[in-house]
Amino acid sequence: MKITREIKRKIIQVAAFGYSNPWLGNFAGGNIYQGNWKQFCNPGMNCYSCPAAGLACPIGAMQAGANSQSYRFGFYATGVVLAIGVVLGRAVCGFLCPFGLLQELIHKIPSPKLHLPKWTTYIKYALLAIFVILMPMLAMDGTGVRSPSFCKYICPVGTLEGGIPILASHPELRSLIGGIFTLKMAILIVVIVGCVLVSRFFCKVMCPLGAIYGMLNKVSLYRMDVDSAKCISCAACSKVCPMDVEPYKVPNSAECIRCGHCITACPKEALSAGFKLNTKESNTIDMKGA
Amino acid sequence: MGSDKRTNIFRILLIIIAVVMIVFGVMHGEVSIALRKAIKICLECIGIG
Ligand code: SF4
Ligand code: SF4
């Protein structure tokens, strides 16, 4: 059997899921891992209140820093995300993010498959700015107490990986369920249905971590190139792209998760990805007037 | 200046900013803040905080 690019990617995704969630036995008692590895941030989205989680969620850690410090910003976690993003960009999404893998599996459920309008991809930048940076910094949620607002009001990863298993195994906590939990469950249901219908719905529309890595895709060391001498503009790459990117026009789009489907689909082998210092701008297709 | 050179300078700048942020955060106790948050069940994350 030929080990295809996609099989290699799946092996890496499963390995990343494994190192992110090694403590599966904790699901039985509803406990969470409390060791020192949790001072390190996971490159991808993985709730630190998931019983199996072995690392800290970077978005949670960014907000925790902003909540706790007098200077109201999480420098440590933001610095870690920035460093990872400059090297890998959204390759983290395509290869290392546990919630990315979960979404790909959910999308395999048979159903009509839909595409979203481009403007919906900008929502995640607003969520990043408002719920991850501003609200935890300024206590804008009306309570006067600074809290991790993205975790509290939005994050479906926390509801799925933390909320459901913890509340299932801790009946004493269920009396605390209220309006916010209902809101978060509603968001989770929308995200799950969204992921069945739309490939990587959460990544496209909602993920603040994907927003940061996406902004860094333009400069990250891991990048994609189009060889304009080979490309015949057939758009075979665009047709297979799960993120609705047109890689032959914009190989380093903020939406590209570096999954490589387009590279495999190209009949002329015009696309390539890898760690490159050289941006090869001369090799990308000039779309002026296209 | 070529665009490759500009991109590489920008990359180096971002790496320096990232390292400065990490060192600043570590020096101000943010690692233990992250750890303390991560080893207790986060009530906000699970929807009851
Ligand atoms: S966009 Fe977010 S959830 Fe999706 S793969 Fe990237 S980090 Fe993970
Ligand atoms: S452009 Fe290519 S590598 Fe990027 S998400 Fe689309 S198919 Fe995957």
Side-chain angles (χ1 to χ4, degrees), chain A residues 235-285:
Chain A
C237 51
S238 310
K239 286 183 194 120
V240 297
C241 177
M243 299 300 285
D244 303 328
V245 174
E246 294 181 296
Y248 71 109
K249 294 181 185 172
V250 198
N252 294 302
S253 155
E255 292 304 306
C256 173
I257 57 168
R258 312 308 194 196
C259 66
H261 292 346
C262 55
I263 297 172
T264 309
C266 176
K268 297 288 175 188
E269 299 184 1
L271 293 162
S272 63
F275 289 97
K276 303 169 190 195
L277 275 177
N278 184 344
T279 58
K280 279 201 193 155
E281 202 163 81
S282 54
N283 275 0
T284 58
I285 294 179

Side-chain angles (χ1 to χ4, degrees), chain A residues 172-192:
Chain A
E172 73 281 6
L173 292 177
R174 288 183 214 153
S175 61
L176 299 173
I177 288 176
I180 292 180
F181 185 78
T182 311
L183 168 74
K184 285 196 65 178
M185 277 304 289
I187 292 174
L188 174 61
I189 291 167
V190 169
V191 167
I192 291 176

